[in-house]
Structure formats: structure tokens, C-alpha cells
Amino acid sequence: MLVNGAVITGKGAAKSRTAEEVEQIRAILRGRFDDANSEYEEALAENHKLRLVEIGDAAGDDQADSGSKTAERDAATSLLRTLLDRRTQAEHAMQRLDDGTYGNCEGCHNPIPVERLEVFPSATTCVNCKQVRERRAG
């Protein structure tokens, strides 16, 4: 089955993939990593600018100004964390591809459904294991 033009198969899939198929998957994952990395670097630079403005512009702030700055800082930090997580997920997926475990669930070791990989190529768990993990965390 194709995932964004790359072939994904089930358990032990890496052994049955051709070198061309592995490179197609790697290119997709590398693109996701590069996109996330670019977004992260841009957000990091914007966050740095925001902090510099905060340092020089804090005199005379009332509680509302201080609260707004805190909210902006929290939103920027949250965005940085999200982008870093996306970058890390793509990096982990590329490592799994190298290890021959890409496409198999880290929880139950069964194949991750192709439909899930098509939507989220960095997925490391099948839907069932993901739901169990979320129930335990929630």
C-alpha cells in the first residue's frame, strides 16, 4: 500500500521493502522533519525577539499588561514544544525505518494500519494501543 507515494506493508515490512521503497518513505519522513525543523527555528527566533521586547518594555506595566505578556509567552512556549515534538516524532520514525521496525506498533508489535500511516507517517502505535495509552493517561 502507498503512503504519500511510498509503499508501507505489515509485520516485518522492512525486510520485504525494496531499497527504493525505503528511500521513498525516508524522503517523506525527511520532508516532515525538515518542515518541522524550519517551523521550530522560525518560532524560536520569534520567541527570542518577543523576550527581547519584554525585557526592554516592562517599565510601567500594569497587571493587564503583565498578564498579556505572560499569556503570549505561554502560547509561544507551547508552540515551541509542539514543533519540537513533531520534529522528534519524524526523527524517531526515520530511526525506526533504519532499525527495520517502521510500520509496526511499539506496543503490540502488530502492523500499524496503512490508513493510520497515510494520515500520520510518524505513528508508532496502532489505534488500539494508542487508545489504551490515552485511557491510562486520562
Side-chain angles (χ1 to χ4, degrees):
M1 184 63 102
L2 293 178
V3 173
N4 298 328
V7 176
I8 304 293
T9 56
K11 196 167 190 131
K15 292 175 183 69
S16 63
R17 290 189 188 113
T18 67
E20 181 181 324
E21 291 167 345
V22 170
E23 287 310 310
Q24 287 176 331
I25 296 167
R26 188 182 319 285
I28 292 166
L29 295 172
R30 172 53 71 185
R32 290 176 65 89
F33 175 83
D34 290 344
D35 290 347
N37 193 48
S38 294
E39 288 180 59
Y40 177 75
E41 294 298 330
E42 289 172 19
L44 193 61
E46 286 299 317
N47 190 43
H48 183 67
K49 286 181 197 173
L50 179 66
R51 296 219 184 254
L52 290 176
V53 168
E54 270 184 24
I55 291 169
D57 192 30
D61 281 356
D62 61 13
Q63 287 181 340
D65 290 336
S66 181
S68 291
K69 287 179 182 178
T70 299
E72 286 178 20
R73 188 173 42 247
D74 288 348
T77 301
S78 178
L79 175 63
L80 285 172
R81 259 190 255 116
T82 299
L83 292 171
L84 187 58
D85 285 347
R86 282 183 38 211
R87 187 177 79 172
T88 301
Q89 289 169 354
E91 193 172 36
H92 182 65
M94 287 187 290
Q95 183 60 51
R96 292 188 74 214
L97 186 63
D98 291 340
D99 295 343
T101 59
Y102 180 79
N104 295 325
C105 178
E106 288 183 340
C108 66
H109 306 288
N110 290 322
I112 297 172
V114 173
E115 297 81 10
R116 179 160 168 72
L117 290 171
E118 285 175 339
V119 173
F120 185 48
S122 299
T124 59
T125 58
C126 65
V127 175
N128 290 336
C129 288
K130 178 73 172 168
Q131 289 173 341
V132 167
R133 184 185 295 171
E134 287 174 350
R135 271 187 247 132
R136 287 181 184 160

